[in-house]
């Protein structure tokens, strides 16, 4: 990964070590025109085509996909009530939208596209090698994808074990898909994983191995065990190209949704996208795809917990380092983002494409859970709310205003759209969801203002603000 100019300043180091919310701007960001034509864009298109080929199989395996004809996609919906909280009245509140990946079918999280895509790639590979599918030059695969739901295909898949290390959501995506095809499946889960996610996996016929260590320990042990199995296949969230490009197809779908909504994206009509980040695979793939399509007209920001800013730390330091070096505990309500070390693959690809990273406290995560429920009727898990402070960071912090000035976006902000990407939550048990909401309401009552709205930025200075959550 290229090393940028020294970005890990003493001020930034102090804010990270003391778990203070901050907005960090990427000094390595490079201008990238829309449709730059990099070879990787063809791999994104290939992923979209493969998912279209397998759509009939997905409908057969998951009848709930029948209305969408096998497409695993989420809605893009306006959020004017939350827009007013973030930007104030008359300041573009109607241009704040939510990309509802918390409601993605089958897996119920942002991990659905990439995880299901990777399992389908492996199943296709085995079927081609066994002669169950045949590739015809220039026309793709010969048979219908329904061939992989037949008895002989299931017998083939039943000889292989797919494994993955996960804090929860990727495990659900991989586990549910692989088990439905007939694979043996093991999900190695870290101490941060929620009990209900483990139960959901076991109910689907997946073997769950619990580890005392964190996400990195679960991944390492899962990889070690799988490598020793001649019929094992390990899904590596840190290094998988298949996952990455599976995630990237979300950009193509979003492009279509924006067109359908009549939303133009160009330099005069910029798009800002805020994505929760754990190890980085899903937000990295999505951001990569968006930059391919929209170039400098889209500005992507990652959101991380203050106790697990692994991607911010990697990009600022110029190399991947564990956040434990900062004295952080990786302890957060955002179990899906509880990662201590970023993906090197994603860090390298984001080093010139990502606009920045901001961090968020658990208290603010819970506040957003409550406000989403109260104002938009949307229920999500805490990790899904990490991106909601993004618009306020840009408009109300010193660092955010500096970015807008640097990018010469002053007048264009009146026409900008802000997309906040959610990650998971549709499968959260009602009792647990009610607890999240109650705790969020208590946080709002205790301290109405969010960290960014109180003026914290990566300059280390505080500026009092009158904005709250009313």
């Amino acid at each position: 990964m290229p090393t940028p100019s020294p970005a890990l300043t003493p001020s930034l180091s102090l804010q990270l070590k003391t778990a203070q919310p901050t907005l960090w701007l990427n000094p390595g960001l490079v201008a990238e025109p829309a449709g730059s034509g990099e070879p990787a864009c063809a791999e994104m298109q290939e992923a979209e085509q493969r998912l279209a080929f397998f759509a009939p199989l997905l409908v057969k395996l998951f009848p709930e996909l029948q209305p969408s004809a096998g497409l695993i996609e989420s809605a893009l919906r306006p959020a004017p009530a939350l827009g007013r909280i973030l930007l104030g009245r008359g300041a573009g509140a109607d241009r704040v939208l939510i990309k509802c990946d918390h409601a993605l079918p089958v897996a119920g999280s942002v991990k659905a596209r990439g995880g299901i895509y990777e399992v389908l790639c492996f199943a296709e590979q085995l079927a081609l090698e066994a002669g169950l599918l045949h590739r015809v030059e220039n026309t793709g695969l010969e048979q219908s994808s329904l061939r992989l739901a037949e008895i002989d295909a299931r017998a083939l898949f039943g000889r292989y074990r797919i494994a993955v290390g996960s804090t929860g959501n990727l495990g659900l995506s991989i586990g549910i898909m692989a088990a439905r095809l007939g694979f043996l499946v093991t999900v190695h889960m870290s101490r941060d994983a929620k009990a209900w996610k483990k139960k959901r996996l076991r109910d689907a016929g997946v073997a769950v191995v619990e580890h005392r260590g964190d996400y990195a320990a679960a991944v390492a042990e899962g990889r070690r065990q799988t490598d020793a199995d001649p019929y094992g296949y390990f899904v590596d969230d840190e290094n998988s190209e298949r996952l990455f490009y599976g995630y990237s197809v979300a950009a193509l779908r979003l492009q279509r949704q924006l067109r359908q909504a009549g939303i133009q994206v160009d330099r005069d009509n910029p798009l800002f996208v805020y994505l929760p980040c754990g190890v980085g695979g899903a937000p990295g793939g999505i951001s990569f795809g968006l930059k391919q399509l929209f170039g400098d007209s889209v500005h992507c920001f990652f959101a991380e917990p203050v106790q697990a800013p692994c991607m911010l730390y990697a990009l600022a330091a110029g190399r991947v380092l564990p956040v434990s070096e900062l004295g952080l505990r990786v302890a957060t309500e955002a179990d899906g983002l509880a990662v201590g070390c970023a993906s090197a693959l994603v860090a390298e690809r984001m080093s010139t494409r990502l606009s920045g990273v901001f961090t968020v406290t658990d208290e603010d995560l819970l506040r957003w859970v409550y406000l989403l429920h109260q104002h938009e009727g949307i229920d999500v898990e805490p990790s899904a709310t990490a991106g909601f402070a993004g618009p306020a960071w840009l408009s109300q912090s010193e660092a955010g205003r500096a970015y807008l000035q640097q990018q010469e976006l002053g007048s264009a902000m009146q026409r900008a759209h802000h997309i906040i990407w959610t990650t998971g939550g549709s499968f959260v048990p009602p009792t647990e969801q009610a607890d999240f909401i109650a705790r969020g309401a208590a946080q709002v009552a205790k301290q109405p203002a969010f960290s960014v709205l109180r003026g914290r930025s990566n300059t280390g200075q505080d500026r009092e603000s009158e904005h709250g959550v009313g």
Side-chain angles (χ1 to χ4, degrees):
M1 162 178 154
T3 302
S5 57
L8 191 60
T9 63
S11 174
L12 177 60
S13 293
L14 179 62
Q15 285 185 274
L16 294 178
K17 289 177 180 178
T18 55
Q20 295 298 314
T22 186
L23 167 62
W24 173 81
L25 303 178
N26 181 12
L29 180 64
V30 173
E32 185 173 357
S36 57
E38 294 186 15
C41 196
E43 294 171 277
M44 182 169 67
Q45 296 284 353
E46 180 184 337
E48 173 78 329
Q49 293 165 7
R50 178 172 281 111
L51 287 169
F53 171 77
F54 281 111
L57 173 67
L58 291 172
V59 171
K60 184 174 180 64
L61 296 175
F62 304 100
E64 62 267 34
L65 294 178
Q66 190 167 357
S68 66
L71 180 69
I72 297 176
E73 198 45 69
S74 70
L76 178 67
R77 58 168 283 181
L82 291 180
R84 286 190 293 273
I85 292 172
L86 285 169
L87 299 176
R89 298 179 187 276
D94 59 336
R95 293 174 177 268
V96 174
L97 305 103
I98 299 173
K99 181 60 175 151
C100 300
D101 271 12
H102 66 278
L104 275 175
V106 179
S109 84
V110 69
K111 299 290 188 177
R113 297 183 197 86
I116 288 171
Y117 179 70
E118 171 126 8
V119 173
L120 289 172
C121 285
F122 183 54
E124 176 189 304
Q125 173 188 327
L126 294 177
L128 285 168
E129 291 171 355
L132 299 179
L133 288 179
H134 300 279
R135 193 178 298 282
V136 179
E137 188 175 357
N138 300 324
T139 61
L141 294 171
E142 182 180 41
Q143 283 89 358
S144 163
S145 61
L146 291 173
R147 183 77 177 83
L148 299 193
E150 296 177 3
I151 294 175
D152 52 352
R154 292 185 64 83
L156 170 67
F157 300 150
R159 298 168 56 195
Y160 291 83
R161 181 173 296 278
I162 294 179
V164 64
S166 174
T167 57
N169 286 339
L170 181 62
L172 284 169
S173 176
I174 297 292
I176 290 171
M177 182 67 217
R180 195 64 63 94
L181 277 171
F183 286 100
L184 302 172
V185 195
T186 300
V187 176
H188 296 264
M189 304 193 84
S190 64
R191 65 187 177 206
D192 311 291
K194 300 292 187 183
W196 70 264
K197 294 182 181 181
K198 298 171 188 175
K199 181 180 185 303
R200 190 173 183 87
L201 281 167
R202 290 180 174 124
D203 290 347
V206 175
V208 175
V209 178
E210 301 182 47
H211 298 267
R212 287 188 176 183
D214 60 9
Y215 166 81
V219 171
E221 182 59 20
R223 185 186 292 114
R224 186 192 68 78
Q225 291 185 19
T226 308
D227 287 347
D229 182 354
Y231 289 93
Y233 179 83
F234 187 71
V235 179
D236 191 339
D237 198 13
E238 298 177 16
N239 301 296
S240 171
E241 297 273 353
R242 286 174 169 176
L243 277 178
F244 188 84
Y245 291 114
Y247 294 135
S248 76
V249 300
L252 293 167
R253 277 87 173 276
L254 179 62
Q255 183 183 48
R256 289 195 286 271
Q257 289 177 318
L258 291 170
R259 287 172 178 166
Q260 291 166 2
I263 296 174
Q264 184 175 348
V265 179
D266 53 35
R267 282 290 297 176
D268 294 326
N269 299 272
L271 179 66
F272 291 81
V273 183
Y274 313 96
L275 303 112
C277 178
V279 72
I286 293 167
S287 297
F288 178 87
L290 290 172
K291 295 296 285 187
Q292 289 279 324
L293 297 176
F294 299 116
D296 293 339
S297 299
V298 66
H299 306 264
C300 298
F301 290 83
F302 287 177
E304 298 183 300
V306 292
Q307 282 290 338
C310 63
M311 188 61 68
L312 192 166
Y313 190 33
L315 292 173
R319 63 188 188 279
V320 173
L321 296 168
V323 298
S324 58
E325 292 192 357
L326 297 167
L328 298 176
R329 298 176 292 111
V330 197
T332 172
E333 286 286 351
D335 60 302
L337 313 181
V339 178
C341 207
S343 161
L345 180 151
V346 175
E348 189 278 328
R349 293 183 183 179
M350 291 298 101
S351 64
T352 58
R353 294 181 173 90
L354 191 66
S355 293
V357 185
F358 58 90
T359 59
V360 59
T361 66
D362 277 13
E363 291 80 6
D364 283 355
L365 292 174
L366 290 167
R367 286 187 181 98
W368 285 118
V369 169
Y370 168 74
L371 290 170
L372 269 174
H373 173 83
Q374 191 76 2
H375 292 283
E376 302 290 349
I378 293 176
D379 288 338
V380 299
E381 59 187 1
S383 60
T385 69
F388 277 88
W393 270 117
L394 283 177
S395 65
Q396 299 177 33
S397 74
E398 182 177 339
R401 289 190 290 268
Y403 178 82
L404 299 180
Q405 183 177 6
Q406 174 194 349
Q407 297 293 315
E408 300 179 349
L409 289 168
S411 61
M413 291 307 291
Q414 299 175 0
R415 299 177 297 278
H417 281 84
H418 302 265
I419 294 178
I420 302 168
W421 216 287
T422 58
T423 54
S426 60
F427 294 155
V428 174
T431 53
E432 228 172 295
Q433 189 67 53
D435 179 63
F436 290 148
I437 293 167
R439 291 164 65 196
Q443 288 296 335
V444 169
K446 178 181 177 182
Q447 174 54 265
F450 290 88
S451 302
V452 60
L453 302 184
R454 296 196 296 271
R456 178 77 65 180
S457 76
N458 70 350
T459 62
Q461 300 172 338
D462 291 328
R463 297 170 182 254
E464 290 301 323
S465 169
E466 296 178 356
H467 295 277
V469 297

